[in-house]
Amino acid sequence: MTPSVSIIGTGLSRFGRQPDRTGRQLAVVAINAALEDAGLRWRDIQLACGGSDSSGLADTLVAELGFTGIPFTNVKNGCATGGSALLGAVNAVRSGTAEIALAVGFDKHPRGAFDPTPEEWGLPHGYGEAGLMVTTQFFGAKINRYMRLHGISTMTLAKVAEKAYRNGSLNPNAWRREPMSAAEIAAAPMVNDPLTRFMFCSPGTGAAAVIVASESVTRRRGAQPIRLRAISHRTRRFGSFEVFSPAVLGGGEPVSVSSDAATAAFEEAGIGPADIDVAQLQDTESGAEIMHMAECGFCEHGEQEAILAAGDTEIGGRLPVNTDGGCIANGEPIGASGLRQVHEIITQLRGAAGARQVPGSPRVGFTHVYGAPGISACTVLSV
């Protein structure tokens, strides 16, 4: 039987452009908030895992936090960095290496689209010269194909983004806090057909931290923890259609790393998608949320149009999705996004989300993050 692990503290910085703060400074803000939430001090942390795409090495944060000598592992797994860091912290507790462990993710990106170098991703130089390193092209191509196959309309893409900005307006830590109508979003300048400017998230700034503990520590503390029912992490299999490898191989449908990770998480938790009360799904752009609804098992492919039209994914709906505004409203600080998702689910399960609180006392939550070039991490959390 897998040893029980609980989340006893979470912390978050503000998200969005913060020219006066570095990514490292925001990481310290998030860690200190998580420590306060858990009622701990930095010297109580026995092991840490953390990562950033562009703001430096997480282990060097000890210069600000304190030289306590703990093991601190750096993680760099694209948008799945935060989820991967949490897996490392959880496995340390499960193995008995530590009783209290920390995961942190943070980033601060410049304006404009991400501009990765092909060679760093195992691709030839010519791949970049052909324009195939532009991630917006991948997202446009993938959702275009999906819409044709499953009857998804462009206005549904706009409605997903409309929901994100509306939810973000209720979140004091979100970057985009001004609601926008679906009509405005649909009429915005096109980036890559069919995705307009306001259907995308933007590279941004922010940090999140999570503290996990063993059953014995949790019991001694006497606090109400959030139980980590499952955590999974998968890389792509042959035949997947991914960022930097957008190809359909063979005659069948591409496999999905998100489906693999979600299936593994549900199997470990011993429950299914129908048992989830609130979910966070990677929404690098609005088409991603639509596809991930089906890939993670919450509906059949093609059902999303009717589900969204019925309001099922709204805060008061049957399955609220991205109640904090997701990446579209918060931006995408790569290292932080996966842990931001966990923070939001914990806030919802505690009943502490204020104006964006899901009604009916949600008890089980799910997070899903997807990153290039085909990495996914999922969690199942419960009270």
Side-chain angles (χ1 to χ4, degrees), residues 14-16 167-169 171-177 324-325 329-330:
R14 277 198 313 112
F15 278 54
N167 292 352
S169 72
N171 177 6
N173 288 310
W175 180 7
R176 312 293 192 191
R177 301 201 62 209
D324 65 348
N330 286 277

Side-chain angles (χ1 to χ4, degrees), residues 261-273:
T263 298
F266 285 124
E267 286 179 353
E268 182 183 331
I271 62 173

